[in-house]
Amino acid sequence: WLLPRSDICQVCAAQSVDQTPPLVTLHLSFDGAGWVKSAAGSSDCFSALAKETPGHLGSGALIEEAGQTAVVEAPYNFSKSRGTLTLWYKPTASRAKKAYYPLFWSGENNDVGGNAFWLWLCDGSLRFDVRDPQDRYCTASTAEWREGQWVHIAATWDCA
């Protein structure tokens, strides 16, 4: 599932005039011991209880609880000024179970204005947060997602 243009976050009003082709700065393959296929910055990947599992294309990471994570250092691998985050996700937990599941997170300060980025599942919706002074975020429904079926997620931002 690719979020249609109307659902893609327009978290920053400024539009970039730079025509530089986008580069992949971090590619996690989840294959083998390191999980990082390529990285512009650190290629160290730290896993906290996440397990390799068959994925949509190659391998994936099995993360079913909030305490399970795969962590890669952000410098040079992630730009808060602009970018796109895409991933395949297969829900494994029952939709009746209400919980918050982070799919992506970057930042040390979670307060409004702390500039942390979050992509997470929140009570029946997918939510993308930019913890800027305006506390901007957007949501998309996950009502049609089914347990065990792959969905494609994309979040795009341009704060340049």
Side-chain angles (χ1 to χ4, degrees), residues 14-160:
Q15 295 296 316
S16 173
V17 295
D18 184 2
Q19 297 299 315
T20 306
L23 301 174
V24 174
T25 56
L26 179 64
H27 179 183
L28 297 178
S29 66
F30 302 106
D31 290 323
W35 286 15
V36 177
K37 185 171 184 176
S38 65
S42 172
S43 62
D44 293 334
C45 184
F46 310 97
S47 173
L49 305 175
K51 299 175 184 154
E52 184 178 343
T53 189
H56 182 67
L57 300 169
S59 293
L62 179 63
I63 300 173
E64 296 182 298
E65 301 293 333
Q68 292 177 297
T69 61
V71 178
V72 177
E73 296 295 324
Y76 305 106
N77 287 329
F78 175 71
S79 169
K80 290 187 178 181
S81 63
R82 67 177 176 195
T84 299
L85 171 71
T86 86
L87 61 115
W88 284 97
Y89 174 73
K90 180 171 70 171
T92 59
S94 168
R95 295 218 22 98
K97 184 178 178 182
K98 298 289 184 185
Y100 304 110
Y101 292 100
L103 301 177
F104 176 82
W105 174 79
S106 177
E108 297 297 323
N109 183 345
N110 296 331
D111 297 331
V112 172
N115 292 319
F117 273 48
W118 300 337
L119 180 65
W120 54 301
L121 297 172
C122 171
D123 293 334
S125 68
L126 176 68
R127 181 170 161 156
F128 181 60
D129 283 81
V130 178
R131 298 296 281 179
D132 63 3
Q134 295 81 31
D135 193 23
R136 292 180 277 190
Y137 66 90
C138 63
T139 60
S141 175
T142 61
E144 294 187 18
W145 294 10
R146 298 294 172 248
E147 186 174 345
Q149 291 183 340
W150 289 100
V151 293
H152 187 253
I153 298 170
T156 299
W157 62 97
D158 188 346
C159 302

